[in-house]
Amino acid sequence: MRRKLAAGNWKMNGCKADLAQIKALCAAHETATVDLLICPPTTLIGAAAEICADHALQIGGQDCHAQASGAHTGDISAQMLADVGARAVIVGHSERRSDHAETSDDVRAKASAAHDAGLQAIVCIGEHLAEREADRTLNVIGAQLADSVPGDASAENTVIAYEPCWAIGTGLTATPDQISEVHDFIRDRLVGRFGPEIGQAIRLLYGGSVKPGNASQIFAVQNVDGALVGGASLTSRDFSPIISALEGAVEVS
Ligand code: PEP
């Protein structure tokens, strides 16, 4: 039985005043029955982790460098994130892949660095609209999955987030059938590569315009173990009903 995970990615949003949203989430979900993670900008990680010190809500980073330290101006290592209280880090988000030309090899190196620092790596994969329209979705997902996930992946150190690029921040959401096809495919590939025990235990998140109004429908899809949420994770008002929907989710297909 995989424990569900509701993860929020604040991207480049949030100043000190927005820590109030994290306090509100902690208060609203004192006894959460799913795992909770917020990835605020790096500037807020230390303060957010202190707020959540006695709560199940965990704090994560949005990216890390592949090296533990060194001459990389402006970069942050996984070790540094762990040092200020992060428990996880997103790697390979499509905005990193497109804005910073990150390849799946880069993503795998970052995920390995996260593992070395004791962080859970949330490895993002997803196809562009042109790739979907060319019927290449599963080829793209298969290649990204193989190249982005390190060989030491386990349920403890790795989560996979399927985020179709065309659904991120656009208000477009993949249909349950589209999500189901890709998540079943990812599950099969994980079982094929890591064996049934690890392959069945690694959690698969869906990401792409998840909102309070569509969350229940998405969480009903088999092999969807939660969500990686961007815009709707910025406020407790929007993220809280998504968490509640995940807590009440019953897979039907
Ligand atoms: C994301 O940032 O990973 C994401 C899915 O964003 P949004 O929910 O805003 O589409």
Side-chain angles (χ1 to χ4, degrees):
M1 190 65 175
R2 296 178 294 269
R3 191 167 159 91
K4 312 263 180 193
L5 169 62
N9 171 17
W10 280 15
K11 311 191 186 193
M12 199 172 71
N13 298 291
C15 290
K16 282 189 286 184
D18 298 295
L19 291 168
Q21 300 300 329
I22 292 182
K23 287 185 189 147
L25 276 178
C26 287
H29 299 279
E30 289 267 352
T31 53
T33 57
V34 298
D35 287 345
L36 304 177
L37 174 73
I38 291 285
C39 301
T42 309
T43 49
L44 296 181
I45 289 177
E50 278 180 26
I51 289 169
C52 301
D54 296 324
H55 194 278
L57 174 64
Q58 297 190 339
I59 299 299
Q62 299 175 14
D63 177 51
C64 65
H65 197 276
Q67 305 295 320
S69 62
H72 303 288
T73 303
D75 282 319
I76 299 285
S77 73
Q79 204 174 52
M80 292 168 177
L81 295 174
D83 185 49
V84 290
R87 307 283 296 275
V89 61
I90 299 168
V91 292
H93 190 282
S94 69
E95 288 153 13
R96 297 290 315 177
R97 290 180 188 260
S98 60
D99 295 358
H100 301 272
E102 288 184 6
T103 65
S104 290
D105 286 344
D106 297 328
V107 175
R108 188 178 67 251
K110 289 175 179 224
S112 288
H115 294 172
D116 290 346
L119 297 181
Q120 189 166 62
I122 313 233
V123 181
C124 300
I125 55 176
E127 82 285 3
H128 289 279
L129 186 57
E131 293 165 335
R132 175 163 283 278
E133 287 176 345
D135 212 11
R136 294 191 52 238
T137 298
L138 297 184
N139 300 51
V140 171
I141 294 299
Q144 286 186 353
L145 187 69
D147 294 343
S148 305
V149 178
D152 72 342
S154 69
E156 287 70 40
N157 67 19
T158 302
V159 171
I160 311 293
Y162 167 55
E163 301 204 302
C165 301
W166 49 272
I168 296 178
T170 59
L172 298 173
T173 314
T175 65
D177 282 351
Q178 289 171 327
I179 298 171
S180 173
E181 180 188 33
V182 176
H183 278 232
D184 288 354
F185 174 80
I186 295 171
R187 179 69 62 212
D188 282 352
R189 286 290 167 103
L190 290 175
V191 169
R193 179 172 171 194
F194 296 105
E197 197 172 325
I198 293 174
Q200 289 288 357
I202 292 177
R203 293 180 289 186
L204 309 184
L205 308 183
Y206 169 77
S209 298
V210 176
K211 308 284 179 207
N214 62 19
S216 295
Q217 192 187 25
I218 292 167
F219 296 149
V221 178
Q222 201 183 355
N223 273 320
V224 171
D225 303 311
L228 180 55
V229 182
S233 72
L234 292 174
T235 62
S236 166
R237 184 200 58 208
D238 286 339
F239 198 42
S240 195
I242 294 174
I243 294 168
S244 300
L246 188 59
E247 290 182 319
V250 181
E251 288 177 11
V252 293
S253 62

Short mmCIF file of all heavy atoms in Angstrom, two decimals, residues 168-232:
data_model
loop_
_atom_site.label_atom_id
_atom_site.label_comp_id
_atom_site.label_asym_id
_atom_site.label_seq_id
_atom_site.Cartn_x
_atom_site.Cartn_y
_atom_site.Cartn_z
N ILE A 168 1.05 22.27 -17.50
CA ILE A 168 1.62 22.99 -16.35
C ILE A 168 1.34 24.47 -16.46
O ILE A 168 1.76 25.13 -17.42
CB ILE A 168 3.14 22.73 -16.25
CG1 ILE A 168 3.40 21.25 -15.98
CG2 ILE A 168 3.75 23.60 -15.16
CD1 ILE A 168 4.86 20.88 -15.92
N GLY A 169 0.59 24.98 -15.49
CA GLY A 169 0.30 26.41 -15.43
C GLY A 169 -0.60 26.91 -16.54
O GLY A 169 -0.74 28.12 -16.73
N THR A 170 -1.23 26.01 -17.28
CA THR A 170 -2.03 26.42 -18.43
C THR A 170 -3.53 26.35 -18.16
O THR A 170 -4.31 26.87 -18.95
CB THR A 170 -1.75 25.48 -19.63
OG1 THR A 170 -2.09 24.15 -19.21
CG2 THR A 170 -0.30 25.54 -20.07
N GLY A 171 -3.90 25.67 -17.09
CA GLY A 171 -5.33 25.44 -16.85
C GLY A 171 -5.83 24.20 -17.60
O GLY A 171 -6.94 23.75 -17.38
N LEU A 172 -4.98 23.64 -18.48
CA LEU A 172 -5.34 22.39 -19.16
C LEU A 172 -4.93 21.23 -18.28
O LEU A 172 -3.85 21.25 -17.69
CB LEU A 172 -4.60 22.26 -20.50
CG LEU A 172 -4.87 23.33 -21.55
CD1 LEU A 172 -3.92 23.13 -22.73
CD2 LEU A 172 -6.32 23.22 -22.01
N THR A 173 -5.78 20.23 -18.18
CA THR A 173 -5.43 19.05 -17.38
C THR A 173 -5.54 17.83 -18.27
O THR A 173 -6.45 17.75 -19.10
CB THR A 173 -6.43 18.89 -16.21
OG1 THR A 173 -6.60 20.15 -15.59
CG2 THR A 173 -5.93 17.91 -15.19
N ALA A 174 -4.63 16.88 -18.08
CA ALA A 174 -4.75 15.63 -18.82
C ALA A 174 -6.04 14.93 -18.38
O ALA A 174 -6.46 15.08 -17.23
CB ALA A 174 -3.54 14.75 -18.55
N THR A 175 -6.66 14.19 -19.29
CA THR A 175 -7.89 13.46 -18.92
C THR A 175 -7.51 12.26 -18.06
O THR A 175 -6.36 11.78 -18.11
CB THR A 175 -8.62 12.95 -20.17
OG1 THR A 175 -7.76 11.97 -20.80
CG2 THR A 175 -8.94 14.07 -21.14
N PRO A 176 -8.47 11.72 -17.30
CA PRO A 176 -8.18 10.51 -16.52
C PRO A 176 -7.61 9.39 -17.40
O PRO A 176 -6.69 8.68 -16.98
CB PRO A 176 -9.54 10.14 -15.92
CG PRO A 176 -10.23 11.47 -15.76
CD PRO A 176 -9.81 12.27 -16.98
N ASP A 177 -8.11 9.23 -18.62
CA ASP A 177 -7.59 8.17 -19.50
C ASP A 177 -6.14 8.42 -19.89
O ASP A 177 -5.32 7.50 -19.94
CB ASP A 177 -8.45 8.07 -20.78
CG ASP A 177 -9.75 7.34 -20.52
OD1 ASP A 177 -9.91 6.78 -19.42
OD2 ASP A 177 -10.61 7.35 -21.42
N GLN A 178 -5.83 9.70 -20.17
CA GLN A 178 -4.43 10.03 -20.52
C GLN A 178 -3.51 9.79 -19.33
O GLN A 178 -2.42 9.25 -19.47
CB GLN A 178 -4.35 11.49 -20.98
CG GLN A 178 -4.98 11.75 -22.33
CD GLN A 178 -5.07 13.24 -22.66
OE1 GLN A 178 -5.26 14.08 -21.78
NE2 GLN A 178 -4.93 13.57 -23.93
N ILE A 179 -3.95 10.20 -18.16
CA ILE A 179 -3.14 10.02 -16.95
C ILE A 179 -2.96 8.53 -16.68
O ILE A 179 -1.85 8.05 -16.40
CB ILE A 179 -3.79 10.72 -15.74
CG1 ILE A 179 -3.89 12.23 -15.97
CG2 ILE A 179 -3.00 10.43 -14.46
CD1 ILE A 179 -4.71 12.98 -14.92
N SER A 180 -4.05 7.79 -16.80
CA SER A 180 -4.02 6.36 -16.51
C SER A 180 -3.04 5.65 -17.44
O SER A 180 -2.22 4.82 -17.00
CB SER A 180 -5.44 5.82 -16.69
OG SER A 180 -5.45 4.45 -16.58
N GLU A 181 -3.08 5.98 -18.72
CA GLU A 181 -2.19 5.32 -19.69
C GLU A 181 -0.73 5.53 -19.31
O GLU A 181 0.08 4.59 -19.28
CB GLU A 181 -2.45 5.85 -21.10
CG GLU A 181 -1.56 5.19 -22.14
CD GLU A 181 -1.65 5.83 -23.52
OE1 GLU A 181 -1.86 7.06 -23.60
OE2 GLU A 181 -1.49 5.09 -24.51
N VAL A 182 -0.40 6.79 -18.98
CA VAL A 182 1.02 7.10 -18.70
C VAL A 182 1.44 6.51 -17.34
O VAL A 182 2.53 5.94 -17.21
CB VAL A 182 1.27 8.61 -18.77
CG1 VAL A 182 2.71 8.93 -18.37
CG2 VAL A 182 0.98 9.13 -20.17
N HIS A 183 0.58 6.64 -16.34
CA HIS A 183 0.97 6.12 -15.01
C HIS A 183 1.11 4.60 -15.04
O HIS A 183 2.03 4.05 -14.42
CB HIS A 183 -0.04 6.59 -13.95
CG HIS A 183 0.23 7.98 -13.45
ND1 HIS A 183 0.35 8.31 -12.12
CD2 HIS A 183 0.44 9.12 -14.14
CE1 HIS A 183 0.60 9.61 -12.01
NE2 HIS A 183 0.66 10.12 -13.22
N ASP A 184 0.22 3.91 -15.75
CA ASP A 184 0.35 2.45 -15.85
C ASP A 184 1.66 2.08 -16.57
O ASP A 184 2.35 1.13 -16.19
CB ASP A 184 -0.84 1.85 -16.61
CG ASP A 184 -2.12 1.88 -15.80
OD1 ASP A 184 -2.08 2.25 -14.60
OD2 ASP A 184 -3.18 1.54 -16.36
N PHE A 185 1.97 2.86 -17.58
CA PHE A 185 3.22 2.63 -18.34
C PHE A 185 4.44 2.82 -17.43
O PHE A 185 5.36 2.01 -17.41
CB PHE A 185 3.25 3.60 -19.53
CG PHE A 185 4.54 3.58 -20.31
CD1 PHE A 185 4.79 2.60 -21.25
CD2 PHE A 185 5.49 4.57 -20.10
CE1 PHE A 185 5.98 2.59 -21.97
CE2 PHE A 185 6.69 4.57 -20.82
CZ PHE A 185 6.93 3.58 -21.75
N ILE A 186 4.43 3.93 -16.65
CA ILE A 186 5.55 4.20 -15.74
C ILE A 186 5.67 3.06 -14.72
O ILE A 186 6.77 2.57 -14.44
CB ILE A 186 5.37 5.55 -15.03
CG1 ILE A 186 5.42 6.71 -16.03
CG2 ILE A 186 6.44 5.74 -13.94
CD1 ILE A 186 5.04 8.07 -15.43
N ARG A 187 4.54 2.64 -14.18
CA ARG A 187 4.56 1.56 -13.19
C ARG A 187 5.19 0.30 -13.79
O ARG A 187 6.05 -0.33 -13.18
CB ARG A 187 3.13 1.29 -12.72
CG ARG A 187 2.99 0.17 -11.71
CD ARG A 187 3.59 0.47 -10.34
NE ARG A 187 2.95 1.59 -9.68
CZ ARG A 187 3.59 2.44 -8.84
NH1 ARG A 187 4.89 2.29 -8.59
NH2 ARG A 187 2.96 3.43 -8.26
N ASP A 188 4.79 -0.05 -15.01
CA ASP A 188 5.35 -1.25 -15.67
C ASP A 188 6.85 -1.11 -15.86
O ASP A 188 7.61 -2.06 -15.63
CB ASP A 188 4.70 -1.44 -17.05
CG ASP A 188 3.31 -2.05 -16.93
OD1 ASP A 188 2.94 -2.44 -15.82
OD2 ASP A 188 2.61 -2.10 -17.97
N ARG A 189 7.27 0.07 -16.29
CA ARG A 189 8.71 0.29 -16.51
C ARG A 189 9.49 0.21 -15.19
O ARG A 189 10.60 -0.34 -15.15
CB ARG A 189 8.95 1.65 -17.16
CG ARG A 189 8.57 1.71 -18.64
CD ARG A 189 9.56 0.87 -19.45
NE ARG A 189 9.08 0.64 -20.81
CZ ARG A 189 9.54 1.28 -21.87
NH1 ARG A 189 10.46 2.22 -21.75
NH2 ARG A 189 9.08 0.99 -23.07
N LEU A 190 8.92 0.75 -14.12
CA LEU A 190 9.61 0.70 -12.82
C LEU A 190 9.73 -0.75 -12.33
O LEU A 190 10.77 -1.17 -11.83
CB LEU A 190 8.87 1.55 -11.78
CG LEU A 190 8.93 3.07 -11.98
CD1 LEU A 190 8.04 3.77 -10.94
CD2 LEU A 190 10.37 3.59 -11.87
N VAL A 191 8.64 -1.50 -12.51
CA VAL A 191 8.67 -2.91 -12.09
C VAL A 191 9.68 -3.67 -12.94
O VAL A 191 10.47 -4.48 -12.42
CB VAL A 191 7.26 -3.53 -12.19
CG1 VAL A 191 7.31 -5.04 -12.03
CG2 VAL A 191 6.33 -2.91 -11.13
N GLY A 192 9.71 -3.37 -14.24
CA GLY A 192 10.66 -4.04 -15.13
C GLY A 192 12.10 -3.74 -14.76
O GLY A 192 12.97 -4.61 -14.81
N ARG A 193 12.37 -2.51 -14.35
CA ARG A 193 13.76 -2.13 -14.07
C ARG A 193 14.20 -2.49 -12.64
O ARG A 193 15.33 -2.94 -12.43
CB ARG A 193 13.93 -0.62 -14.28
CG ARG A 193 15.33 -0.12 -13.98
CD ARG A 193 15.51 1.33 -14.38
NE ARG A 193 16.77 1.86 -13.91
CZ ARG A 193 17.09 3.14 -13.88
NH1 ARG A 193 16.23 4.04 -14.35
NH2 ARG A 193 18.26 3.56 -13.41
N PHE A 194 13.30 -2.24 -11.67
CA PHE A 194 13.71 -2.38 -10.27
C PHE A 194 13.13 -3.62 -9.59
O PHE A 194 13.43 -3.88 -8.42
CB PHE A 194 13.30 -1.13 -9.47
CG PHE A 194 14.00 0.12 -9.93
CD1 PHE A 194 13.33 1.07 -10.68
CD2 PHE A 194 15.33 0.34 -9.62
CE1 PHE A 194 13.97 2.23 -11.12
CE2 PHE A 194 15.99 1.49 -10.05
CZ PHE A 194 15.31 2.44 -10.81
N GLY A 195 12.29 -4.36 -10.31
CA GLY A 195 11.65 -5.53 -9.70
C GLY A 195 10.35 -5.12 -9.04
O GLY A 195 10.11 -3.94 -8.78
N PRO A 196 9.48 -6.13 -8.74
CA PRO A 196 8.13 -5.82 -8.24
C PRO A 196 8.12 -5.10 -6.90
O PRO A 196 7.30 -4.20 -6.69
CB PRO A 196 7.45 -7.18 -8.14
CG PRO A 196 8.51 -8.20 -8.36
CD PRO A 196 9.68 -7.55 -9.01
N GLU A 197 9.02 -5.44 -6.01
CA GLU A 197 8.95 -4.84 -4.66
C GLU A 197 9.18 -3.33 -4.72
O GLU A 197 8.37 -2.53 -4.25
CB GLU A 197 9.97 -5.51 -3.74
CG GLU A 197 9.67 -5.25 -2.29
CD GLU A 197 10.58 -6.07 -1.39
OE1 GLU A 197 10.92 -7.22 -1.74
OE2 GLU A 197 10.96 -5.53 -0.35
N ILE A 198 10.29 -2.93 -5.34
CA ILE A 198 10.62 -1.50 -5.43
C ILE A 198 9.71 -0.83 -6.47
O ILE A 198 9.18 0.26 -6.24
CB ILE A 198 12.11 -1.31 -5.78
CG1 ILE A 198 12.97 -1.79 -4.61
CG2 ILE A 198 12.41 0.15 -6.12
CD1 ILE A 198 14.46 -1.77 -4.88
N GLY A 199 9.52 -1.48 -7.61
CA GLY A 199 8.75 -0.88 -8.69
C GLY A 199 7.31 -0.59 -8.31
O GLY A 199 6.72 0.39 -8.78
N GLN A 200 6.74 -1.44 -7.46
CA GLN A 200 5.35 -1.20 -7.03
C GLN A 200 5.28 -0.18 -5.89
O GLN A 200 4.23 0.37 -5.61
CB GLN A 200 4.70 -2.51 -6.53
CG GLN A 200 4.39 -3.51 -7.62
CD GLN A 200 3.21 -3.10 -8.51
OE1 GLN A 200 2.57 -2.07 -8.28
NE2 GLN A 200 2.94 -3.89 -9.54
N ALA A 201 6.41 0.03 -5.21
CA ALA A 201 6.38 0.88 -4.00
C ALA A 201 6.69 2.35 -4.29
O ALA A 201 6.31 3.22 -3.52
CB ALA A 201 7.37 0.33 -2.97
N ILE A 202 7.38 2.62 -5.40
CA ILE A 202 7.72 4.01 -5.72
C ILE A 202 6.42 4.77 -6.06
O ILE A 202 5.61 4.30 -6.86
CB ILE A 202 8.73 4.07 -6.89
CG1 ILE A 202 10.08 3.51 -6.42
CG2 ILE A 202 8.89 5.51 -7.39
CD1 ILE A 202 11.15 3.44 -7.51
N ARG A 203 6.25 5.94 -5.46
CA ARG A 203 5.01 6.69 -5.67
C ARG A 203 5.05 7.48 -6.97
O ARG A 203 6.08 8.03 -7.34
CB ARG A 203 4.75 7.60 -4.47
CG ARG A 203 4.46 6.79 -3.23
CD ARG A 203 4.20 7.67 -2.03
NE ARG A 203 5.40 8.34 -1.56
CZ ARG A 203 5.43 9.07 -0.45
NH1 ARG A 203 4.34 9.22 0.28
NH2 ARG A 203 6.55 9.64 -0.06
N LEU A 204 3.89 7.56 -7.61
CA LEU A 204 3.74 8.31 -8.87
C LEU A 204 2.75 9.45 -8.65
O LEU A 204 1.59 9.22 -8.32
CB LEU A 204 3.18 7.40 -9.99
CG LEU A 204 3.89 6.07 -10.24
CD1 LEU A 204 3.26 5.37 -11.44
CD2 LEU A 204 5.38 6.30 -10.47
N LEU A 205 3.23 10.67 -8.83
CA LEU A 205 2.37 11.85 -8.71
C LEU A 205 1.96 12.33 -10.09
O LEU A 205 2.74 12.22 -11.05
CB LEU A 205 3.11 12.99 -8.00
CG LEU A 205 3.77 12.68 -6.66
CD1 LEU A 205 4.39 13.95 -6.07
CD2 LEU A 205 2.78 12.05 -5.69
N TYR A 206 0.77 12.91 -10.17
CA TYR A 206 0.39 13.63 -11.38
C TYR A 206 0.54 15.12 -11.11
O TYR A 206 0.23 15.59 -10.00
CB TYR A 206 -1.07 13.33 -11.79
CG TYR A 206 -1.51 14.29 -12.88
CD1 TYR A 206 -1.09 14.11 -14.20
CD2 TYR A 206 -2.24 15.44 -12.57
CE1 TYR A 206 -1.42 15.03 -15.18
CE2 TYR A 206 -2.58 16.37 -13.55
CZ TYR A 206 -2.16 16.15 -14.85
OH TYR A 206 -2.46 17.07 -15.82
N GLY A 207 1.00 15.88 -12.10
CA GLY A 207 1.07 17.33 -11.97
C GLY A 207 0.65 17.99 -13.26
O GLY A 207 0.97 17.52 -14.36
N GLY A 208 -0.06 19.09 -13.14
CA GLY A 208 -0.50 19.84 -14.31
C GLY A 208 -1.88 20.40 -14.07
O GLY A 208 -2.88 19.71 -14.29
N SER A 209 -1.91 21.64 -13.52
CA SER A 209 -3.19 22.34 -13.29
C SER A 209 -4.15 21.55 -12.40
O SER A 209 -5.35 21.54 -12.63
CB SER A 209 -3.86 22.70 -14.62
OG SER A 209 -3.02 23.59 -15.36
N VAL A 210 -3.60 20.88 -11.38
CA VAL A 210 -4.48 20.26 -10.37
C VAL A 210 -5.08 21.38 -9.52
O VAL A 210 -4.36 22.27 -9.05
CB VAL A 210 -3.70 19.26 -9.48
CG1 VAL A 210 -4.61 18.70 -8.39
CG2 VAL A 210 -3.11 18.14 -10.33
N LYS A 211 -6.39 21.34 -9.36
CA LYS A 211 -7.13 22.39 -8.64
C LYS A 211 -8.12 21.71 -7.70
O LYS A 211 -8.43 20.52 -7.87
CB LYS A 211 -7.92 23.26 -9.62
CG LYS A 211 -7.11 23.84 -10.77
CD LYS A 211 -6.24 25.01 -10.34
CE LYS A 211 -5.42 25.54 -11.50
NZ LYS A 211 -4.18 26.17 -11.09
N PRO A 212 -8.69 22.48 -6.76
CA PRO A 212 -9.71 21.87 -5.89
C PRO A 212 -10.84 21.23 -6.70
O PRO A 212 -11.36 20.17 -6.33
CB PRO A 212 -10.23 23.06 -5.07
CG PRO A 212 -9.08 24.02 -5.03
CD PRO A 212 -8.39 23.87 -6.36
N GLY A 213 -11.19 21.82 -7.84
CA GLY A 213 -12.33 21.33 -8.61
C GLY A 213 -12.08 20.06 -9.41
O GLY A 213 -13.03 19.39 -9.82
N ASN A 214 -10.82 19.72 -9.70
CA ASN A 214 -10.57 18.51 -10.50
C ASN A 214 -9.79 17.44 -9.75
O ASN A 214 -9.53 16.36 -10.28
CB ASN A 214 -9.86 18.87 -11.83
CG ASN A 214 -8.49 19.52 -11.60
OD1 ASN A 214 -7.91 19.39 -10.51
ND2 ASN A 214 -7.96 20.20 -12.61
N ALA A 215 -9.40 17.75 -8.51
CA ALA A 215 -8.50 16.84 -7.78
C ALA A 215 -9.12 15.45 -7.57
O ALA A 215 -8.45 14.43 -7.82
CB ALA A 215 -8.12 17.46 -6.43
N SER A 216 -10.38 15.40 -7.17
CA SER A 216 -10.98 14.08 -6.85
C SER A 216 -10.99 13.17 -8.07
O SER A 216 -10.71 11.97 -7.97
CB SER A 216 -12.42 14.25 -6.36
OG SER A 216 -12.41 14.94 -5.16
N GLN A 217 -11.29 13.75 -9.23
CA GLN A 217 -11.34 12.96 -10.47
C GLN A 217 -9.95 12.39 -10.79
O GLN A 217 -9.81 11.23 -11.18
CB GLN A 217 -11.81 13.89 -11.59
CG GLN A 217 -12.19 13.19 -12.86
CD GLN A 217 -12.48 14.19 -13.98
OE1 GLN A 217 -11.98 15.32 -13.98
NE2 GLN A 217 -13.26 13.76 -14.95
N ILE A 218 -8.92 13.21 -10.58
CA ILE A 218 -7.56 12.77 -10.87
C ILE A 218 -7.12 11.70 -9.86
O ILE A 218 -6.51 10.69 -10.22
CB ILE A 218 -6.60 13.98 -10.85
CG1 ILE A 218 -6.93 14.90 -12.03
CG2 ILE A 218 -5.14 13.55 -10.88
CD1 ILE A 218 -6.29 16.28 -11.96
N PHE A 219 -7.46 11.90 -8.59
CA PHE A 219 -7.01 10.97 -7.55
C PHE A 219 -7.73 9.62 -7.62
O PHE A 219 -7.31 8.66 -6.98
CB PHE A 219 -7.18 11.59 -6.16
CG PHE A 219 -6.32 12.82 -5.94
CD1 PHE A 219 -6.74 13.85 -5.11
CD2 PHE A 219 -5.09 12.93 -6.57
CE1 PHE A 219 -5.95 14.98 -4.92
CE2 PHE A 219 -4.28 14.06 -6.38
CZ PHE A 219 -4.72 15.08 -5.56
N ALA A 220 -8.82 9.57 -8.41
CA ALA A 220 -9.53 8.29 -8.56
C ALA A 220 -8.82 7.37 -9.55
O ALA A 220 -9.16 6.19 -9.66
CB ALA A 220 -10.96 8.55 -9.01
N VAL A 221 -7.84 7.91 -10.29
CA VAL A 221 -7.16 7.11 -11.30
C VAL A 221 -6.16 6.16 -10.62
O VAL A 221 -5.39 6.57 -9.75
CB VAL A 221 -6.41 8.02 -12.31
CG1 VAL A 221 -5.65 7.18 -13.34
CG2 VAL A 221 -7.40 8.96 -13.01
N GLN A 222 -6.20 4.92 -11.05
CA GLN A 222 -5.28 3.92 -10.49
C GLN A 222 -3.83 4.32 -10.76
O GLN A 222 -3.54 4.87 -11.83
CB GLN A 222 -5.56 2.57 -11.15
CG GLN A 222 -5.08 1.42 -10.34
CD GLN A 222 -5.30 0.09 -11.06
OE1 GLN A 222 -5.89 0.04 -12.12
NE2 GLN A 222 -4.81 -0.96 -10.46
N ASN A 223 -2.96 4.07 -9.81
CA ASN A 223 -1.54 4.40 -9.94
C ASN A 223 -1.26 5.89 -9.82
O ASN A 223 -0.14 6.32 -10.11
CB ASN A 223 -0.94 3.88 -11.25
CG ASN A 223 -0.45 2.45 -11.11
OD1 ASN A 223 0.12 2.11 -10.07
ND2 ASN A 223 -0.68 1.64 -12.11
N VAL A 224 -2.24 6.67 -9.42
CA VAL A 224 -1.98 8.08 -9.06
C VAL A 224 -1.90 8.12 -7.53
O VAL A 224 -2.88 7.89 -6.84
CB VAL A 224 -3.09 9.02 -9.58
CG1 VAL A 224 -2.90 10.42 -9.01
CG2 VAL A 224 -3.05 9.07 -11.10
N ASP A 225 -0.70 8.37 -7.04
CA ASP A 225 -0.47 8.32 -5.59
C ASP A 225 -0.45 9.71 -4.97
O ASP A 225 0.00 9.87 -3.83
CB ASP A 225 0.86 7.60 -5.30
CG ASP A 225 0.89 6.21 -5.90
OD1 ASP A 225 -0.08 5.46 -5.70
OD2 ASP A 225 1.87 5.87 -6.60
N GLY A 226 -0.89 10.69 -5.73
CA GLY A 226 -0.91 12.06 -5.22
C GLY A 226 -0.64 13.03 -6.33
O GLY A 226 -0.73 12.69 -7.51
N ALA A 227 -0.30 14.26 -5.94
CA ALA A 227 -0.12 15.30 -6.96
C ALA A 227 1.06 16.20 -6.61
O ALA A 227 1.39 16.38 -5.44
CB ALA A 227 -1.39 16.15 -7.07
N LEU A 228 1.66 16.73 -7.67
CA LEU A 228 2.60 17.85 -7.54
C LEU A 228 1.84 19.06 -8.07
O LEU A 228 1.44 19.08 -9.24
CB LEU A 228 3.87 17.58 -8.34
CG LEU A 228 4.95 18.69 -8.30
CD1 LEU A 228 5.36 19.03 -6.87
CD2 LEU A 228 6.20 18.25 -9.08
N VAL A 229 1.63 20.02 -7.19
CA VAL A 229 0.72 21.13 -7.48
C VAL A 229 1.50 22.44 -7.50
O VAL A 229 2.24 22.73 -6.55
CB VAL A 229 -0.38 21.20 -6.39
CG1 VAL A 229 -1.37 22.32 -6.70
CG2 VAL A 229 -1.10 19.85 -6.26
N GLY A 230 1.33 23.22 -8.55
CA GLY A 230 1.98 24.52 -8.63
C GLY A 230 1.08 25.61 -8.08
O GLY A 230 0.96 25.82 -6.87
N GLY A 231 0.39 26.31 -8.98
CA GLY A 231 -0.40 27.49 -8.61
C GLY A 231 -1.33 27.28 -7.43
O GLY A 231 -1.44 28.15 -6.55
N ALA A 232 -2.00 26.13 -7.39
CA ALA A 232 -2.99 25.92 -6.33
C ALA A 232 -2.36 25.52 -5.00
O ALA A 232 -3.09 25.25 -4.03
CB ALA A 232 -4.01 24.86 -6.78
#
